[in-house]
Structures are given as C-alpha cells and as structure tokens.
C-alpha cells in the first residue's frame, strides 16, 4: 500500500470518529438533563465537527480528486466509514452517553499526544490543536463518572450498566491493519499497542475513584477501522445524510 | 430562595476578559459542585472566546444590599456633586484621559 493512500484512509478513520460521535452528541441538543449540560454536550459536538472538518479537508488535499469535505461526510456509505464501533453506539441515557464519551476521550487524548510527534506536519498540527479540546472532553466526562459512581444507587447502577454494555467495543479502538503498518514504517503514525496500557491505566484510575468495577471482557466486537459496523451506524447515517442525498449539492 | 428544589444549587459567574482587567458578573449557572460550576460557567458564558479566567461563587455566599436599604445607602451621594471630577480643568493635550 502506498503511503499516500494509507494516510488518506487514516485521516478518514480519525475524521469519522469525530463526525460520528459529534452527530451522536448533537442528538442531545434540547434534550440535555439541565440547560448547562445541554450546552456542554453540544459544545463537545461542535468541537468534534470542527476536528472532523480539518481532517476531511486534509484528506481531500491528499486525494487530488474532485471531491469536497462535504462529499466525504455525506456521500459515503456505511461500509466506507472507518470509525470505531464505540462512537456509533446510540446515546442511551445520560450516563451511557457520558461513559461512551469518557472511554473514547481517554483514547483520543492519548492518540493526540502521540500524533503530536508525527512527522506529517498536518497531522501533528491537528493533534496539537485537538488535544486542548479532547482534554476538556476527558475532564468533563471523567468528573461525571466519579459523580455517578459516588452519587445515588441509581446513578451508580446506570453508570455501571453503561460500562458493562460498552466495554466490549473498547478493543476495537486499538485494532490495526495494513494502513497502520505502512504509516508506522514511515514515522507518520505509531503502534496503538503503545497506548493501550496507558489507556487502561487512565480508565482504571477514574473507575477506582468512582467505585465502579472494570467489566469482564466478553462478546468483544471489532471491525470499525475495516468498515465493518454495528447496525446502528446505518440508521444514523440515513438521518444525517438525508438532505444531501435527496437534494444533492444543496447549500445552506 | 429555593423555589424549585429539584435544581442544583445556584452559582454566580464572573469573567475576566483579559489579564489585569476586572472580573465582571456574567450571569448564573446551576451546578452540584465546584468543578461542575466552573465547567458549566465555561460552557455557558465563554463559548465565543469571552474569557481568560473565571470565578464562580455560590449565590448564597453573596452579601447584597436590599431595597429597604437603598435610600440610606445611596441617596446621600446624590447631592454631592463636588465629589465628581467635573470641576477640574483638564490640562491641554489630555483629551483621551
């Protein structure tokens, strides 16, 4: 595989994570548990959309074809999306959304820290800028986890339930394929094995403070970075892409 | 004060727009604890780059004058125009003071 093709695909993977999770967080708009939290969730959504846009624009540049960032977001099918499975999981209740955010943001933070050392300037630039936002997402979600765990019996149960449900999707965050191997060999990316230990440590640290259990690994599902998804992504895309599909080229 | 008791406690938010300038009251938020109050203040009042620093204060920690006290607190200064700087002549060349 050529480096350029690998980098293009890698940008899509990073961008798709942001776009899909951003769309999920946008679904909270006007449904937040309190006004301030409604703003917090949609702020996170906008951060993620912004990150996705930066990466899609870069992908367009790499592709040297007549496509736009919007085409990448709105005209690809489910199997052409490379996001992790965890970000496409439906929102569930507030605890479920926060646990999903926490598990992903912990990963994204380590990812950005590692990509800051990429020898690709666009990627390291992206990572440096995104890290500030991702750190805040981690802070926001991890503090909620600690409140849930030490709150009422109900908040603790809901957080634990979410953790148990989402845990099987976390291995998928660390799956590598040919793209990774190519990019690692040229110093653009790094081995995801290197951050797995740190991710585990950071997650455990918060769970311990929250008095929540680390779930058992079972029914592990993987496939996101190879375009294999759970049934939820297709439904989400059909709603998100509806306008561009029905009115191609429609502008705001 | 607590009309709707299923809400988190109220906090007052003060924003400093740049280093050295005073903290100004921006509004209020509801939050369960200090950390949440700061984050809610950030998300509610600084989304458009309004701030460099934030204070949050539990609303019930603010000591305020009441309407009843208005006359005795503030009316005596009404007729003390000599306390204003209007009577000083401005030196030449200080138009923008």
């Amino acid at each position: 595989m050529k480096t350029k093709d690998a980098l293009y695909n890698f940008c899509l993977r990073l961008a798709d994570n942001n776009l899909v999770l951003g769309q999920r967080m946008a679904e909270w708009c006007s449904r937040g548990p309190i006004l301030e939290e409604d703003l917090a969730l949609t702020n996170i959504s906008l951060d993620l959309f912004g990150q996705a846009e930066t990466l899609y624009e870069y992908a367009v540049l790499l592709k040297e074809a007549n496509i736009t960032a919007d085409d990448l977001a709105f005209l690809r099918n489910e199997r052409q999306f490379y996001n992790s499975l965890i970000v496409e999981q439906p929102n569930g209740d507030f605890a479920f959304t926060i646990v999903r955010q926490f598990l992903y943001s912990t990963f994204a933070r380590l990812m950005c820290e590692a990509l800051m050392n990429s020898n690709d300037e666009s990627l390291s630039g992206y990572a440096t800028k995104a890290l500030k936002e991702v750190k805040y997402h981690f802070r926001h979600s991890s503090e909620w986890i600690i409140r849930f765990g030490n709150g009422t019996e109900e908040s603790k149960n809901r957080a634990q339930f979410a953790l148990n449900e989402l845990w099987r999707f976390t291995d998928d965050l660390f799956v590598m394929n040919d793209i990774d191997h190519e990019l690692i060999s040229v110093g653009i990316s790094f081995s995801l094995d290197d951050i797995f230990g740190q991710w585990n440590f950071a997650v455990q640290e918060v769970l311990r403070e929250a008095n929540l259990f680390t779930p058992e690994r079972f029914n592990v599902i993987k496939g996101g970075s190879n375009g294999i998804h759970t049934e939820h992504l297709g439904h989400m895309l059909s709603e998100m892409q509806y306008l561009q599909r029905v009115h191609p080229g429609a502008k705001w | 004060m607590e009309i709707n008791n299923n809400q988190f406690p109220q906090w007052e938010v003060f924003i400093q727009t740049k280093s050295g300038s005073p903290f100004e009251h921006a509004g209020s938020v509801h939050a369960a604890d200090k950390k949440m109050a700061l984050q809610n203040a950030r998300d509610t009042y600084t989304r458009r780059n309004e701030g460099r620093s934030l204070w949050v204060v539990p609303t019930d920690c603010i000591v305020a004058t009441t309407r009843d006290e208005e006359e005795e607190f503030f009316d005596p200064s009404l007729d003390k125009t000599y306390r204003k700087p209007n009577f000083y002549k401005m030196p030449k060349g200080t138009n923008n003071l």
Side-chain angles (χ1 to χ4, degrees), chain A residues 20-130:
Chain A
V20 171
L21 189 56
Q23 178 71 10
R24 283 291 185 223
M25 295 308 263
E27 289 170 8
W28 274 102
C29 190
S30 82
R31 295 181 169 87
I34 59 168
L35 175 68
E36 291 85 341
E37 195 55 41
D38 197 279
L39 289 170
L41 297 171
T42 45
N43 273 347
I44 292 174
S45 171
L46 284 175
D47 287 346
L48 297 170
F49 285 149
Q51 291 185 31
E53 193 189 12
T54 305
L55 292 159
Y56 286 137
E57 293 291 357
Y58 185 39
V60 165
L61 217 68
L62 292 165
K63 193 71 177 171
E64 290 172 351
N66 191 21
I67 52 165
T68 66
D70 277 353
D71 294 342
L72 292 175
F74 297 117
L75 300 179
R76 281 179 303 145
N77 297 324
E78 185 188 350
R79 290 291 293 271
Q80 297 163 315
F81 270 76
Y82 303 108
N83 58 279
S84 306
L85 301 176
I86 193 166
V87 298
E88 71 200 34
Q89 298 311 305
N91 287 341
D93 60 17
F94 180 58
F96 200 89
T97 289
I98 292 292
V99 170
R100 184 186 61 197
Q101 188 69 42
F102 164 67
L103 296 172
Y104 175 74
S105 295
T106 311
F107 169 79
R109 195 187 58 167
L110 294 165
M111 188 91 183
C112 284
E113 283 170 355
L115 280 178
M116 280 167 68
N117 300 316
S118 169
N119 64 17
D120 183 278
E121 276 183 16
S122 298
L123 271 191
S124 67
Y126 156 76
T128 307
K129 187 162 174 280

